[in-house]
Amino acid sequence: MTKLITTRRKFLKGTALSAALAGTGTFFGPWQHVRVLAQGQKKPIKLGLTCDASGQYGNSGQDDLRGIRLAIDEFNAKGGVIGRKIEWITADTETTPATASRIAERFITRDECGFLIGALHSGVANAITQVAAKTGTIYMNTNSSAPSEAGENCSRVKFVWDGNGTNFSKATVKAAIQSVGKNWLLLTNDYVWGHTTANATKGLVEASGGKIMDNLLVPQNTRDFTSYLLKIQQAKPDVVATAIGGDDLKALRTQVAQLKLDGKPAWINNQQDWPDIWGAPESLFGVFGTTWYHKLPLPGVAEFVKKWQAAYKDGPIPVPGNVSYNGYMATRELLRAIERAGTTNNIAVIKQLENIKVSAADRMQHYDAYMDPTTHQMQQTIYLARRNMKPADTTDYYEMVAWAEPKDATDDAAAGKCKLVPYEQVPTFEL
Amino acid sequence: MIDLLPHILNGITLGLLFALIALGFMLIVGLMEQINLAHGSLFALGAYIAIVIVGGETVLSPFFGDFFKLMPLAWRYVAALLIAPLVVAIVGMGVEFLMRRTYAKDPLFGLLLTFGIAMVIEEGIRGVWGTRDYVLQVPSSISGGFIFQDLIWSTYRFYAAGFAAVAIGLVWLVIEKTPYGAIIKAGAHDNEMVRALGINLSRLRLIVFAFGTSLAALAGVILAPIWGIRPHMGVDAVIPAFLVIVLGGIGSFWGAVIASLLVGALVGLTGAYASEWSLLSMYLLLIAVTTVRARGLFGKKSVLEV
């Protein structure tokens, strides 16, 4: 039985009507199907998976989707949650905020999804958040790691599952200043994630006694980094800290590797997504952060990898990486939260999600993790890695350098920037 | 104060690479008055064919076995430079064959058709090679770096720029100094007269298209080691190509080359001095020039004015 309070119903009717008037009969994503429920069968729970299939994060978006689907399949194999099967629908958000906004709205209004999952690009995640917040739809931001996502752009309905730029910076900056040098140069993608990550790094460097020589802003979709690399050589910093993402980072890596510039200066790459480097281990350089690796010597990791491989044996990437892992964990914890709440009522589920605590063994990480109720960001182990020069097999790209406990990598500034609206102001519904 | 010379030099090399990408596009627009939006996808296809030849594990290995793997890397690279343009030229002929129904109609038809073909090629690439990235290896003799003015420069980048300069020169010679070039140009300006002289115009167009698309593939092979290989790499190519052609003036060979060098220098210098403007600067330049000269730097009346 569907219950909606006035605000959501009005919104749904209004948008459905305007969509109908506008004649939007566009076909996106998978086919629609008419389903006849057997007598007594409960209505399925529907998830809208907002994953990029094209654009800067198209590759990673599909890896995110693989992790999300694995969690859904696991729950469905056990009979679903609260006795209801889980259905999902997906569409290409194109790494474009406007597209993501349109798709999120369609998932909520036309497809009646009660939950949205997926994102890599902070602009996309923020666009989805705006739409979700209007209706109280719970949104799992699986992989967008801009500090602003759990800071100024946080939301009562959104939960952030990836480590963010500040977490990674905190895990690296102090050690790098002590061991490498004080003069830092920042190379930053010119959009929200880049800026917020660079600001976090700048604050940490200066607090640790270092100096920022310059911050070179790199427009998105830059393919030629020669002018930046020349300028870096002219400036002679001790450390270059990058906040460059997606295809831009791939091009940068290729060009740094060609010039053999990966030794001096020292390079610190904020976060390295597995799909971005799959197939090109030789272009890995510097130290980089991640939240998970498929060869962590921890209980459950090997089993998870086997399970994932069985599901995606013909896929483009043979092992799960951090992106797929985050997609899986976010979806698993959402479904567990619904199970614990015993309802799909959004407020009840939000309260469950806000109190998540997951043991290290259950997370397949070194330390216990928990959801910060004030920012809605998962506080978890942050790993630092570099290229593995003695790989055990063809997938063994990383050598783990260190790992930080959640408390040592917490983004302290986030709580001050994040203003969650009271529960009473969130449109409530149960689908 | 940053030393200016390295950035000017970098800008010129970048400009030559832009010109190489634009070369095939320029030919087809200038000589046939057809805007081929599949140029970027054909550029990408050239790079993917190079991956099959130059190496590594590819999905097409079962068809080729170790045929290419047994060759030294330098041979494979040269083979890629020769084979990829040939294969893509055949695809280009197919594109031209499909385009025939759009000739003498609103240019929008050709534009939409080639846009559709571009999508088909890109999805085909995803289907065959998957979505992962590839890195094209280059022979050691043209890889690595060298020191100039106390800075490390990419050897391959200079090789690529030199290659581009030679390719530009050869294409110019073909167009300006051979009978074929004269016939092609005549066909673009007055096809009825060319037909009346007994020249097979359909075949002529097919040759132009094959030539133009093979140049796109050649640019794909040359640029792949710098940009990396991924399904949507064509988008990265078609935008600057279109921009320099409009900036230089449709139909003007040297206009496009000069525009490429201008854009390269501007992107290089803004990258050094005002990095956040480096990509936007080329569009601002285009706006500034076309505001004053609507047909670009050296443009004449063209298909875009229909």
Side-chain angles (χ1 to χ4, degrees):
Chain A
M1 181 65 196
T2 303
K3 291 187 285 182
L4 290 167
I5 73 154
T6 319
T7 48
R8 181 169 165 105
R9 182 182 294 136
K10 274 184 182 167
F11 176 83
L12 295 182
K13 275 187 175 174
T15 46
L17 185 64
S18 54
L21 288 172
T24 48
T26 321
F27 178 82
F28 300 93
W31 55 92
Q32 299 284 327
H33 55 276
V34 178
R35 189 183 54 253
V36 180
L37 296 175
Q39 201 172 11
Q41 194 181 335
K42 289 183 178 174
K43 184 182 170 186
I45 293 170
K46 202 158 182 185
L47 311 179
L49 312 185
T50 48
C51 300
D52 301 323
S54 59
Q56 188 175 1
Y57 291 110
N59 211 8
S60 296
Q62 292 307 287
D63 210 44
D64 192 11
L65 181 61
R66 285 187 276 274
I68 295 167
R69 283 177 51 191
L70 187 66
I72 295 169
D73 291 347
E74 272 180 22
F75 275 82
N76 274 336
K78 294 185 295 189
V81 282
I82 52 174
R84 294 165 66 177
K85 283 280 183 191
I86 304 137
E87 284 190 352
W88 57 271
I89 184 170
T90 189
D92 179 9
T93 39
E94 298 172 354
T95 323
T96 306
T99 309
S101 188
R102 196 177 66 239
I103 284 167
E105 200 144 310
R106 184 169 61 86
F107 281 174
I108 295 166
T109 58
R110 208 173 71 190
D111 300 307
E112 292 202 343
C113 295
F115 308 91
L116 301 179
I117 311 174
L120 277 113
H121 186 277
S122 53
V124 165
N126 194 27
I128 296 167
T129 308
Q130 303 305 315
V131 176
K134 281 191 288 188
T135 56
T137 304
I138 293 172
Y139 170 46
M140 299 277 129
N141 168 357
T142 48
N143 273 291
S144 165
S145 55
S148 53
E149 279 298 284
E152 54 269 43
N153 294 335
C154 73
S155 168
R156 180 66 72 182
V157 298
K158 174 169 66 185
F159 293 83
V160 180
W161 291 84
D162 198 8
N164 72 24
T166 308
N167 302 144
F168 292 112
S169 297
K170 275 188 85 170
T172 52
V173 168
K174 207 169 180 178
I177 283 177
Q178 286 165 357
S179 61
V180 183
K182 289 185 174 183
N183 294 316
W184 287 49
L185 187 142
L186 306 179
L187 196 60
T188 306
N189 247 159
D190 194 6
Y191 75 104
V192 177
W193 168 76
H195 284 278
T196 50
T197 298
N199 288 339
T201 305
K202 183 172 182 280
L204 291 164
V205 168
E206 287 169 348
S208 305
K211 188 178 116 206
I212 300 294
M213 301 170 75
D214 202 349
N215 181 12
L216 304 183
L217 294 176
V218 178
Q220 273 186 280
N221 300 316
T222 293
R223 291 291 167 270
D224 196 286
F225 284 85
T226 308
S227 53
Y228 301 100
L229 296 176
L230 289 171
K231 198 171 175 184
I232 286 166
Q233 289 184 68
Q234 288 171 323
K236 296 185 174 63
D238 297 315
V239 179
V240 179
T242 73
I244 306 287
D247 290 347
D248 295 9
L249 182 61
K250 295 172 194 174
L252 171 65
R253 270 203 329 255
T254 305
Q255 289 157 45
V256 168
Q258 270 174 4
L259 295 178
K260 298 189 169 55
L261 279 174
D262 45 344
K264 183 89 176 112
W267 291 78
I268 293 180
N269 297 301
N270 198 276
Q271 184 178 198
Q272 184 67 78
D273 281 343
W274 184 249
D276 287 344
I277 53 97
W278 174 251
E282 66 283 352
S283 61
L284 275 173
F285 69 101
V287 171
F288 47 87
T290 188
T291 52
W292 192 76
Y293 183 53
H294 69 284
K295 285 191 179 290
L296 287 174
L298 296 171
V301 172
E303 292 79 1
F304 175 75
V305 171
K306 280 198 188 83
K307 194 166 57 181
W308 190 96
Q309 286 175 318
Y312 305 113
K313 54 181 176 291
D314 297 322
I317 303 177
V319 287
N322 61 305
V323 171
S324 219
Y325 166 84
N326 283 340
Y328 173 85
M329 282 292 166
T331 310
R332 187 188 77 176
E333 293 306 328
L334 169 67
L335 298 173
R336 282 179 176 180
I338 296 169
E339 195 75 75
R340 284 195 303 273
T343 172
T344 56
N345 175 279
N346 61 334
I347 301 298
V349 176
I350 286 170
K351 286 177 178 173
Q352 287 296 333
L353 287 165
E354 285 174 340
N355 292 298
I356 287 175
K357 287 180 176 56
V358 193
S359 70
D362 199 17
R363 282 279 299 179
M364 297 178 284
Q365 289 178 321
H366 277 77
Y367 302 108
D368 293 352
Y370 65 94
M371 182 64 70
D372 184 337
T374 61
T375 63
H376 283 198
Q377 191 206 3
M378 196 67 180
Q379 304 301 310
Q380 60 185 307
T381 312
I382 297 295
Y383 293 91
L384 296 178
R386 63 182 170 218
R387 186 183 171 190
N388 187 357
M389 300 312 282
K390 295 174 183 170
D393 60 39
T394 54
T395 68
D396 193 11
Y397 287 9
Y398 292 0
E399 178 195 346
M400 289 299 168
V401 179
W403 40 93
E405 283 188 65
K407 66 179 174 62
D408 295 331
T410 304
D411 180 357
D412 300 314
K417 294 175 188 169
C418 173
K419 300 281 177 281
L420 299 174
V421 299
Y423 298 117
E424 303 76 52
Q425 288 181 24
V426 178
T428 181
F429 69 92
E430 193 175 316
L431 286 169
Chain B
M1 180 65 188
I2 295 173
D3 187 359
L4 201 64
L5 180 64
H7 297 287
I8 293 172
L9 191 60
N10 170 46
I12 292 167
T13 59
L14 183 60
L16 285 166
L17 297 178
F18 281 153
L20 180 66
I21 296 165
L23 213 51
F25 199 82
M26 180 180 12
L27 272 184
I28 291 167
V29 173
L31 301 178
M32 286 179 61
E33 299 224 322
Q34 295 296 328
I35 297 168
N36 175 25
L37 286 183
H39 182 82
S41 302
L42 294 164
F43 166 93
L45 188 60
Y48 274 92
I49 292 164
I51 268 292
V52 173
I53 297 162
V54 173
E57 294 168 53
T58 79
V59 289
L60 296 181
S61 291
F63 299 98
F64 296 102
D66 290 335
F67 178 75
F68 290 117
K69 285 183 188 172
L70 296 172
M71 293 183 193
L73 178 60
W75 289 25
R76 280 181 273 151
Y77 181 77
V78 172
L81 281 176
L82 297 169
I83 296 168
L86 281 174
V87 174
V88 173
I90 294 163
V91 177
M93 287 179 184
V95 174
E96 197 278 336
F97 185 77
L98 291 170
M99 279 190 79
R100 287 179 183 185
R101 296 176 65 180
T102 70
Y103 295 156
K105 287 183 181 159
D106 189 322
L108 197 60
F109 288 106
L111 209 67
L112 285 170
L113 177 70
T114 52
F115 181 66
I117 290 168
M119 291 172 84
V120 169
I121 292 170
E122 188 177 318
E123 287 308 313
I125 285 171
R126 282 179 209 274
V128 175
W129 283 278
T131 54
R132 62 162 279 201
D133 287 42
Y134 293 88
V135 175
L136 190 73
Q137 283 182 286
V138 293
S140 56
S141 54
I142 52 171
S143 67
F146 65 93
I147 306 281
F148 174 69
Q149 282 222 320
D150 293 335
L151 301 172
I152 302 171
W153 298 77
S154 162
T155 306
Y156 184 82
R157 188 185 173 83
F158 275 80
Y159 151 80
F163 187 97
V166 171
I168 291 162
L170 288 175
V171 171
W172 180 78
L173 281 174
V174 168
I175 295 168
E176 296 295 331
K177 303 292 175 188
T178 65
Y180 249 116
I183 294 166
I184 289 167
K185 281 192 294 181
H189 291 294
D190 192 346
N191 55 43
E192 279 184 26
M193 180 58 76
V194 169
R195 270 204 188 93
L197 290 169
I199 292 163
N200 184 338
L201 198 64
S202 295
R203 197 171 60 188
L204 196 67
R205 282 174 170 156
L206 198 66
I207 289 165
V208 171
F209 232 91
F211 191 34
T213 51
S214 68
L215 286 170
L218 194 65
V221 180
I222 292 291
L223 267 293
I226 300 174
W227 285 2
I229 301 174
R230 62 192 65 89
H232 54 276
M233 68 186 284
V235 178
D236 302 332
V238 80
I239 294 172
F242 194 65
L243 187 137
V244 298
I245 284 160
V246 174
L247 183 63
I250 304 289
S252 171
F253 183 90
W254 291 112
V257 173
I258 289 164
S260 297
L261 293 172
L262 270 177
V263 167
L266 189 66
V267 170
L269 286 168
T270 47
Y273 291 96
S275 58
E276 63 269 44
W277 293 88
S278 66
L279 282 189
L280 191 64
S281 62
M282 60 170 129
Y283 300 104
L284 294 175
L285 177 68
L286 178 70
I287 291 166
V289 169
T290 51
T291 302
V292 180
R293 291 181 60 86
R295 289 176 179 168
L297 294 170
F298 304 95
K300 302 180 282 282
K301 191 173 188 311
S302 73
V303 65
L304 296 185
E305 294 173 51
V306 173

